[in-house]
């Protein structure tokens, strides 16, 4: 038999255990930060090295959801959507257009022109952190823009449009995105114009696209969705609270900078609630009373959550408020779309 090797006890067993133990809370926090990083959310962490994950982070996938939902609302308001394989494929292609392509283009363009502000407010973002070179950012902007307009044209042909309505919407949307972010106009420098441009981009443009995909886009739908976008203006203001410090330093007149945190928070919530209420009143006027009642019921929890989170500390609770209250707002959009489709507007 071979001679056994003696075992020497570790004089500091607790330190040895600490060196190999994994703190579950730290591990969960790290996962959360990486998820936020990938989705393009506030409170992310720097350090990603995969170029494709960095490109995805630039496109902020979390921001695609409202526009994808807007397409669904537009299909509903057309009154012509039926559950066939072709229609499902059309909607999926339209969601690809509204979300990853056009919203992705918009977000990267905004990050490109906001790189100085982001260096103050969100230094972990890919551009200010140096995770991706600027020439590659520019290439990605152009690829998404060209692919988006090309897909819009394909959808026009697929839907048999004599006038390329969806292509026109895509071009208008890309132009609004440019003047929102880029000098000399840079609409986001003005709190009112910038916030409304953002709200309209998130509601009117995808809604009109979805409606045009299955029906004839008319002035009533465009005007109603532009009016609904005034509620979207309030949602856009919520996004400004995380950037107050950088906006002040660089002279951007967002509403929190112009009016102060408390007043801007009240402008935000009043805008969100009042214009949804006026949409409900319009539904009553076209005799869609059930849909109007459902919309009102969806406004009530938003008011409750505004009081619980947003009005108490809009800077700290902006993300929490959006996560808890926006589902009710977007459900209200679908209710409105179904009502308009039912009424044949």
């Amino acid at each position: 038999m071979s001679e056994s090797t003696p075992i020497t006890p570790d004089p500091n067993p607790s330190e040895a255990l600490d060196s190999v133990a994994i703190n579950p809370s730290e591990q969960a926090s790290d996962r959360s930060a990486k998820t936020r990083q990938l989705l393009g959310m506030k409170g992310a962490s720097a350090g990603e090295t995969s170029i494709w994950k960095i490109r995805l982070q630039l496109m902020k996938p979390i921001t695609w959801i409202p526009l994808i939902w807007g397409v669904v609302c537009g299909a509903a308001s057309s009154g012509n959507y039926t559950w066939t394989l072709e229609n499902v494929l059309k909607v999926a292609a339209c969601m690809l257009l509204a979300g990853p392509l056009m919203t992705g283009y918009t977000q990267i363009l905004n990050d490109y022109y906001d790189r100085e502000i982001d260096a103050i407010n969100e230094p972990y973002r890919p551009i200010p952190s140096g995770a991706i070179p600027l020439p590659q950012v520019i290439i990605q902007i152009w690829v998404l823009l060209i692919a988006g307009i090309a897909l819009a044209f394909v959808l026009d042909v697929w839907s048999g449009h004599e006038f390329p309505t969806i292509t026109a919407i895509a071009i208008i949307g890309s132009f609004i995105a440019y003047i929102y972010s880029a000098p000399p106009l840079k609409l986001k420098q003005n709190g009112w114009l910038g916030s409304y441009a953002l709200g309209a981009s998130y509601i009117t443009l995808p809604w009109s696209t979805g409606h045009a995909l299955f029906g004839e886009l008319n002035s009533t739908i465009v005007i109603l969705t532009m009016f609904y976008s005034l509620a979207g203006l309030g949602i856009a203001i919520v996004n400004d609270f995380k950037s107050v410090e950088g906006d002040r330093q660089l002279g951007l007149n967002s509403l929190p900078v112009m009016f102060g945190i408390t007043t801007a928070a009240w402008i935000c919530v009043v805008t969100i609630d009042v214009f949804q209420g006026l949409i409900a009143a319009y539904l009553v006027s076209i005799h869609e009373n059930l849909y109007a009642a459902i919309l009102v019921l969806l406004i009530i929890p938003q008011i409750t959550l505004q009081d619980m989170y947003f009005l108490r500390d809009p800077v700290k609770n902006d993300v929490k408020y959006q996560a808890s209250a926006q589902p009710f707002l977007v459900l209200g959009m679908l209710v409105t779309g179904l009502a308009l489709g039912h009424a044949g507007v």
Side-chain angles (χ1 to χ4, degrees):
M1 291 182 62
S2 62
E3 190 173 320
S4 61
T5 303
I7 299 174
T8 304
D10 193 319
N12 297 299
S14 60
E15 292 180 11
L17 287 173
D18 288 343
S19 68
V20 298
I22 298 174
N23 188 321
S25 62
E26 289 181 3
Q27 190 178 38
S29 177
D30 184 57
R31 283 199 302 267
S32 175
K34 287 183 177 179
T35 301
R36 287 174 176 273
Q37 179 189 37
L38 193 61
L39 294 177
M41 295 173 66
K42 179 181 176 183
S45 62
E48 182 58 65
T49 56
S50 167
I51 188 62
W52 295 109
K53 287 184 179 180
I54 291 169
R55 292 188 185 282
L56 183 63
Q57 182 188 359
L58 272 174
M59 294 163 66
K60 295 185 182 177
I62 195 70
T63 64
W64 304 348
I65 298 170
L67 288 101
I68 289 172
W69 188 258
V71 170
V72 174
C73 296
S77 68
S78 73
N80 297 321
Y81 181 81
T82 54
W83 288 98
T84 65
L85 177 60
E86 182 182 14
N87 285 348
V88 170
L89 292 175
K90 274 186 180 180
V91 168
C94 197
M95 288 176 173
L96 175 64
L97 169 66
L101 296 181
M102 297 312 297
T103 309
Y105 152 80
T106 300
Q107 294 296 342
I108 300 175
L109 189 71
N110 185 63
D111 269 20
Y112 176 79
Y113 285 106
D114 269 6
R115 55 191 185 272
E116 293 180 3
I117 298 176
D118 287 344
I120 299 169
N121 294 320
E122 300 178 271
Y124 50 80
R125 298 290 303 152
I127 296 175
S129 68
I132 184 169
L134 286 181
Q136 291 196 35
V137 174
I138 294 170
I139 290 171
Q140 190 171 353
I141 290 171
W142 278 106
V143 167
L144 291 173
L145 176 61
I146 293 168
I149 293 174
L151 180 55
F153 183 74
V154 168
L155 288 171
D156 275 320
V157 173
W158 196 353
S159 300
H161 293 161
E162 292 184 8
F163 178 80
T165 307
I166 297 174
T167 305
I169 294 171
I171 292 172
I172 291 169
S174 61
F175 176 71
I176 291 173
Y178 180 79
I179 63 173
Y180 174 81
S181 299
L185 293 178
K186 204 173 179 73
L187 295 181
K188 67 184 299 178
Q189 289 181 325
N190 181 291
W192 293 110
L193 285 176
S195 295
Y196 182 73
L198 191 61
S201 298
Y202 271 61
I203 295 179
T204 298
L205 295 179
W207 194 315
S208 297
T209 303
H211 190 101
L213 194 63
F214 297 102
E216 185 175 346
L217 185 61
N218 55 68
S219 59
T220 303
I221 291 296
V222 173
I223 292 169
L224 280 173
T225 54
M226 290 181 71
F227 188 80
Y228 216 137
S229 296
L230 290 167
L233 182 151
I235 296 299
I237 296 170
V238 176
N239 295 321
D240 291 334
F241 287 92
K242 70 177 184 295
S243 306
V244 172
E245 183 182 344
D247 290 349
R248 281 200 187 105
Q249 291 184 31
L250 296 175
L252 294 182
N253 289 322
S254 65
L255 292 187
V257 171
M258 292 168 64
F259 296 102
I261 298 294
T262 302
T263 301
W266 275 102
I267 292 172
C268 176
V269 299
V270 168
T271 304
I272 291 170
D273 300 336
V274 167
F275 286 101
Q276 285 183 91
L278 291 174
I279 290 289
Y282 173 77
L283 295 184
V284 171
S285 74
I286 60 172
H287 310 294
E288 296 295 335
N289 298 336
L290 175 60
Y291 291 103
I294 295 171
L295 180 55
V296 170
L297 290 174
L298 289 169
I299 297 171
I300 293 171
Q302 294 178 62
I303 296 172
T304 303
L305 291 164
Q306 287 160 2
D307 179 60
M308 286 174 58
Y309 298 131
F310 190 67
L311 290 174
R312 299 187 185 190
D313 192 340
V315 176
K316 179 181 177 182
N317 296 328
D318 59 340
V319 174
K320 184 184 292 186
Y321 166 70
Q322 286 181 307
S324 56
Q326 279 200 21
F328 297 101
L329 183 139
V330 298
L331 282 174
M333 289 170 55
L334 180 58
V335 167
T336 302
L338 291 168
L340 297 175
H342 184 258
V345 173

